[in-house]
Amino acid sequence: MRAVVLVCLLAGLAHADLFTAIADLQHMLGAEKDVTSVIDQYIAAERDRLDDLRRYAHEYVHRNAHAEAVGPEFVTNPINAYLLIKRLTSEWKKVENIMLNNKATTFLKNITDNRVKSEVKFPGEEDLSGAAIALLRLQDTYKLDTLDLSNGIIGGEKVSNKLSGHDTFEVGRAAYNQKDYYHCLMWMQVALNKIENESPATVEESEILEYLAYSLYQQGNVRRALSLTKRLAKIAPNHPRAKGNVKWYEDMLQGKDMVGDLPPIVNKRVEFDGIVERDAYEALCRGEIPPVEKKWKNKLRCYLKRDKPFLKIAPIKVEILRFDPLAVLFKNVISDSEIKVIKELASPKLKRATVQNSKTGELEHATYRISKSAWLKGDLHPVIERVNRRIEDFTGLYQGTSEELQVANYGLGGHYDPHFDFARKEEKNAFKTLNTGNRIATVLFYMSQPERGGATVFNHLGTAVFPSKNDALFWYNLRRDGEGDLRTRHAACPVLLGVKWVSNKWIHERGQEFTRPCGLEEGVQENFIGDLSPYVNDP
């Protein structure tokens, strides 16, 4: 009964989705100090009986000191963030079990009451799983070695402490729970190697062997799966499944290939997310960008946009990133002070980002979009109103039918898989309630600059734009005739190191009849934004 009460008390403290925004993880940093304090108080109350619990307290103190020394940037490192979540989930469960060996229910209730009053959110199992899967996503996208990553090394640089055998095991188990045996196999192998040098081992060899054997079986290597399972049955004779699994594998082999050298481990990655352009997308995220087409190479340019009265006084710098279709970068169009205000307004409103169901038109969560977002109305603050006016100045497009300013903070491995911003013909319910037509264009403000990763990539065009703080990326989603431009399919690459804040404006068709009229010829499109003729010849 006591255990049931405790689970009920602590279940109310867990908040899923913390891993989907770095901002939430930064707020969580102080939680480790709270855990240390709680454990110290409990030890004082229980005296000498709690030597084991005191060991946990010392570990939390050491880790928290390191985190505080680094500051809020501590959780912008995906490995640190994973370890932070793990310590506040699976390791905290060990602390609970020690407490439950005596009459700790009353004491734990006091802790629970204090946490409820606190503004700090605590992670749940979904956060631990999400953090582990984020590491796998980063590993694939940026071709990171499993051993290096487990040793805190990214791109040849030491960025974090090493993962223990148990830390590594948990990543592999998260992959297993997703039926991702490719990653499970890699991480369980590293976990097995790590516990050889641990005393005591942080995870039992028998636990690793079962996952490792089944992953080998799923990869078609039944003999090695059998060999490991025999090892499991030997070191854990009371294991509930080991002997049965040995017989199962032996029956599968039917006496064939039972002698001789074991077959090599060949780990095959199987894609099951339905993204056909995965390889091209990930290559662009790594900065493996194909050469610019020869016909445009010498025509990409920068210019000052001065085609409105206000811009004659304060011209805006424009960098043409590509033609056909046109994509430009407006330079220094949002100030640091404006970014600060927008982030402060958005932070309390951040909720896990949604996508629109193509059939129902309803908004829903999706694993292919990991971030939190908030919508800010123009009349919420003078800064929002000013930014909206500025968008009209530099795009030349009417803003009365645009959507509200959306602010997004990306989480661990935060990304948005390839998608279109505009609604395709089969998405008949999209934007129906707005009655403003389709999304004609997108403005994307970069409000931070991650250390690594986080690019905006256009898969079919071979174009990658890495975030540059204070700038705004702009492109048209629709052609001049109102048809969706399928070439604008794009993605937000996972953030490898650092934090990514963006805000965007989706500009709609209604009201653009004179600002962007249909072309007189089929296929006509812009080569620049605004009136460029006084300064350069058309490309």
Side-chain angles (χ1 to χ4, degrees), residues 83 139 142 175 251 256 260 322 341 379 391 413 423 426 431 481:
L83 289 173
Q139 180 181 12
Y142 298 105
D251 291 346
K256 300 175 182 178
R322 67 162 297 116
V341 170
D379 58 3
I391 292 172
E426 60 268 27
F431 318 128
D481 60 5

Side-chain angles (χ1 to χ4, degrees), residues 140-153:
D140 283 347
T141 304
Y142 298 105
K143 291 188 174 180
L144 305 177
D145 180 74
T146 308
L147 181 59
D148 281 350
L149 196 54
S150 71
N151 286 331
I153 298 171

Side-chain angles (χ1 to χ4, degrees), residues 12 49 80 150 207 212 228 242 319 324 354 367 407 427 453 514:
R49 295 179 61 248
N80 289 342
S150 71
E207 286 194 73
L212 191 52
L228 290 179
E319 178 184 352
D324 193 29
T354 57
T367 56
V407 182
E427 299 174 287
F514 298 103

Side-chain angles (χ1 to χ4, degrees), residues 2 42 161 218 237 311 401 423-424 518:
R2 183 173 61 197
Y42 187 73
N161 293 328
Q218 286 289 340
L311 297 183
T401 55
R424 287 165 291 170
C518 292

Side-chain angles (χ1 to χ4, degrees), residues 360-411:
T360 65
E362 298 296 321
L363 298 177
E364 58 190 21
H365 295 146
T367 56
Y368 57 82
R369 188 181 189 186
I370 301 298
S371 63
K372 285 189 175 178
S373 61
W375 298 86
L376 303 182
K377 295 181 179 294
D379 58 3
L380 180 64
H381 193 280
V383 165
I384 309 301
E385 186 179 5
R386 185 164 69 240
V387 168
N388 287 343
R389 286 198 307 267
R390 190 175 304 142
I391 292 172
E392 184 159 337
D393 282 339
F394 63 66
T395 65
L397 297 175
Y398 173 64
Q399 293 302 301
T401 55
S402 293
E403 296 177 44
E404 295 170 1
L405 186 70
Q406 182 181 219
V407 182
N409 177 229
Y410 285 79

Side-chain angles (χ1 to χ4, degrees), residues 13-131:
L13 298 176
H15 292 75
D17 290 354
L18 293 182
F19 73 96
T20 62
I22 292 294
D24 282 341
L25 294 177
Q26 290 176 323
H27 290 311
M28 198 174 63
L29 274 174
E32 286 207 279
K33 183 187 293 185
D34 294 339
V35 172
T36 305
S37 175
V38 165
I39 295 175
D40 283 339
Q41 291 175 35
Y42 187 73
I43 291 173
E46 296 296 318
R47 305 293 181 184
D48 298 333
R49 295 179 61 248
L50 303 174
D51 290 339
D52 196 29
L53 193 59
R54 188 176 295 278
R55 177 174 61 83
Y56 277 97
H58 290 320
E59 289 179 4
Y60 275 118
V61 168
H62 174 73
R63 290 164 176 168
N64 187 69
H66 174 64
E68 285 192 327
V70 176
E73 288 74 19
F74 182 82
V75 293
T76 65
N77 180 308
I79 299 176
N80 289 342
Y82 163 74
L83 289 173
L84 176 61
I85 290 177
K86 180 178 179 292
R87 290 197 293 270
L88 294 174
T89 50
S90 62
E91 291 189 17
W92 177 247
K93 284 186 177 180
K94 293 181 182 179
V95 175
E96 295 171 18
N97 290 333
I98 295 172
M99 290 183 176
L100 285 171
N101 288 331
N102 53 71
K103 297 179 181 179
T105 305
T106 302
F107 185 81
L108 287 171
K109 186 177 184 304
N110 293 335
I111 299 171
T112 303
D113 292 341
N114 290 335
R115 285 188 176 183
V116 170
K117 296 174 185 177
S118 171
E119 294 182 358
V120 177
K121 297 177 182 178
F122 282 74
E125 288 297 325
E126 184 182 343
D127 292 299
L128 178 58
S129 176

Side-chain angles (χ1 to χ4, degrees), residues 35 54 63 97 130 196 242 252 273 279 283 290 428 455 484:
V35 172
R54 188 176 295 278
R63 290 164 176 168
N97 290 333
E196 291 179 359
M252 195 177 300
D273 58 9
D279 289 344
K428 299 185 183 301

Side-chain angles (χ1 to χ4, degrees), residues 132-206:
I133 292 170
L135 288 178
L136 303 181
R137 183 183 309 116
L138 292 170
Q139 180 181 12
D140 283 347
T141 304
Y142 298 105
K143 291 188 174 180
L144 305 177
D145 180 74
T146 308
L147 181 59
D148 281 350
L149 196 54
S150 71
N151 286 331
I153 298 171
I154 292 179
E157 181 183 353
K158 182 75 171 175
V159 298
S160 177
N161 293 328
K162 293 182 179 181
L163 302 184
S164 68
H166 189 266
D167 296 331
T168 309
F169 167 78
E170 286 285 4
V171 177
R173 185 161 67 172
Y176 175 89
N177 290 337
Q178 298 290 316
K179 297 184 178 180
D180 178 2
Y181 305 111
Y182 168 79
H183 287 108
C184 181
L185 179 57
M186 290 192 294
W187 284 84
M188 289 301 175
Q189 285 178 302
V190 173
L192 197 60
N193 293 335
K194 281 183 174 286
I195 64 170
E196 291 179 359
N197 301 312
E198 293 180 342
S199 183
T202 55
V203 60
E204 294 294 331
E205 181 184 355
S206 57

